[in-house]
Amino acid sequence: SNMESPEALFRKISGASEEKRAEIADSISKDRMSELISSPNWKVRNTAVKIAGEIRSEEYTEDMIRLLTDRTPVSLFDRILGGDFVPVGFIRRNAAEALMKIGHSSKEVLNALLTAFGDPYWEVRTAAVRAFSALYKDTVPGNGFERLKDLLNDRKFEVISETILALGDLSDTPEIINLLHRFYSHSNSR
């Protein structure tokens, strides 16, 4: 299976049942994953990130954090084409999703997600909010609420709506309810 294309591997593992997924995950060597995650081809790297999310193993947490938070700027030429950082936006978004699936809520993961709240690409911010909400449901860390509340002023509606859902999931304190109140229209209430 190590010679299968990354796309074929991803299709196989993402459609698999729980038992089958574990079996496929075991068949993919660490070396193969390292090779894919560090491929010079961003499409291969992107597929590797999605595979890591499906494998759901904590051993890929560090790679996902690195890809999510790498702020190495792209070359001037790539910037002209609209790029920002070396891991392209899709990879950063998928790394946030993979962290959510891996389900490991360490301090390092927390810091990576909070960094991603400030990502220039809105899909990354949205995925980071969703992952934060899933991973820190039981104990919202110190400045988590403050950082989420900042995102209620995001310029993208998708980020705001994901943030509203997260705040609603994470808290039912009067403060949060009042905060969210302004996002609900009263026209259809009886």
Side-chain angles (χ1 to χ4, degrees), residues 97 100 117 123 125-135 162 166:
E97 287 178 356
M100 178 170 81
F117 282 7
E123 283 197 39
R125 298 194 300 278
T126 304
V129 168
R130 197 176 304 130
F132 178 88
S133 176
L135 293 174
E162 197 63 53

Side-chain angles (χ1 to χ4, degrees), residues 41-53:
N41 179 333
W42 74 264
K43 289 185 172 143
V44 171
R45 279 199 312 276
N46 190 43
T47 304
V49 165
K50 297 197 304 196
I51 293 169

Side-chain angles (χ1 to χ4, degrees), residues 125-150:
R125 298 194 300 278
T126 304
V129 168
R130 197 176 304 130
F132 178 88
S133 176
L135 293 174
Y136 299 96
K137 220 178 213 60
D138 303 325
T139 50
V140 177
N143 61 345
F145 281 122
E146 294 312 310
R147 295 295 308 278
L148 276 174
K149 285 190 290 193
D150 291 344

